[in-house]
Amino acid sequence: MELDRPVALVTGGGRGIGAATSLALCARGWSVLAIDAPTHTPHLDEPHLGYDLCTPEELEATGARGGEHLETASADVSDPARLAEVVADLVQRRGRLDAAIACAGVIVGGVPLWEQDAEALAVQRAINFDAVVELARLTIPHLLARPEPRSGRFVAVASAAAAQGLAGLSAYGATKAGVTGLIRGLAADLADSGITANAVAPGSTRTAMLDASADAYGLANVEAFAGHAPQRRLLDPAEVAAAICWLCSAEAQAVTGVILPVDGGMTA
């Protein structure tokens, strides 16, 4: 790997938006470590999620697509010790960290909050919100350690559900609303440090999570979600990844504390 390439860590990087972001960053001159949870992680294997997480084979395949500038590692982001280990190892090996991008997420929905399984609610909180907080705590000190003038980036994936109440997704929306509040606070904390904190808020995107949402609502396929936005279509993960890449670019240095909708006009 070229040592002068900026270095990014992407959680949830095995498939979906995380994989698309990892690949897009590599294409734009970054070196990337994409991490994702192996399916044998005990508390994530249980049926309360209702769908399969990224497999080791999917993570490996994403790494192969990215070539020499895309590394992968198995890590459960809801395990703070493992996440700390991954961050420390990356910085020790590469000598730098320029961006941390929180794409890992899970979804449980289709029924009112009071009918959802308590364990499923706990997993959503742990991965969608707590893990983003922990990623910020672990990575921002390394971003701040870069020489001035700094240009580090912290980006999280929120959701249109954080801005618009969706039936059967109140807990999911709450975790994503927590992410938007976190980002605004981080931007204020980082102030004139040169480090920016932003989020993207995707609408219905062709991912395994959307498949799970369709199943939860008893829909025949994900195309039923296309009508939720004025553009009347589903998003491709690459479209969300492009917005994340822009937020990581030099051109976005003046953009911080922003929740950028990438939702086909759903929340406009």
Side-chain angles (χ1 to χ4, degrees):
M1 283 189 167
E2 298 173 27
L3 296 180
D4 61 345
R5 291 171 71 101
V7 175
L9 171 66
V10 180
T11 70
R15 67 184 185 186
I17 292 171
T21 298
S22 298
L23 294 167
L25 284 171
C26 286
R28 289 163 171 79
W30 291 70
S31 291
V32 177
L33 173 63
I35 67 173
D36 216 317
T39 53
H40 54 72
T41 302
H43 78 279
L44 299 181
D45 260 350
E46 298 173 13
H48 44 249
L49 281 182
Y51 64 98
D52 294 330
L53 296 176
C54 176
T55 67
E57 291 75 20
E58 286 176 308
L59 181 58
E60 181 180 350
T62 296
R65 289 174 62 196
E68 63 176 323
H69 297 299
L70 178 54
E71 298 179 276
T72 62
S74 294
D76 172 8
V77 295
S78 64
D79 179 348
R82 175 57 179 153
L83 190 57
E85 181 181 76
V86 167
V87 172
D89 177 70
L90 175 62
V91 175
Q92 191 277 327
R93 288 187 297 103
R94 300 307 311 279
R96 64 187 293 175
L97 181 65
D98 302 275
I101 303 161
C103 295
V106 294
I107 192 168
V108 181
V111 296
L113 176 69
W114 54 92
E115 294 181 14
Q116 288 193 1
D117 179 83
E119 291 299 318
L121 295 175
V123 170
Q124 287 185 99
R125 289 194 302 269
I127 296 177
N128 295 352
F129 180 70
D130 293 345
V132 182
V133 173
E134 194 64 20
L135 185 69
R137 291 183 65 251
L138 291 169
T139 59
I140 288 177
H142 294 294
L143 300 179
L144 290 168
R146 297 290 296 147
E148 296 186 24
R150 303 185 193 92
S151 59
R153 302 287 188 263
F154 187 87
V155 183
V157 175
S159 170
Q164 178 175 316
L166 299 175
L169 289 178
S170 57
Y172 174 77
T175 63
K176 294 299 188 177
V179 169
T180 64
L182 172 70
I183 287 298
R184 293 187 178 103
L186 283 176
D189 285 341
L190 290 164
D192 61 352
S193 67
I195 312 301
T196 65
N198 294 289
V200 295
S204 298
T205 308
R206 292 186 186 278
T207 64
M209 284 179 61
L210 193 65
D211 292 334
S213 297
D215 290 340
Y217 286 110
L219 301 175
N221 56 61
V222 297
E223 300 305 324
F225 293 115
H228 289 177
Q231 287 192 346
R232 303 288 178 183
R233 67 181 182 87
L234 300 181
L235 300 171
D236 187 88
E239 294 179 285
V240 184
I244 294 172
C245 287
W246 179 74
L247 289 172
C248 289
S249 71
E251 288 80 3
Q253 184 62 45
V255 180
T256 192
V258 165
I259 314 304
L260 178 62
V262 186
D263 61 8
M266 179 177 176
T267 58

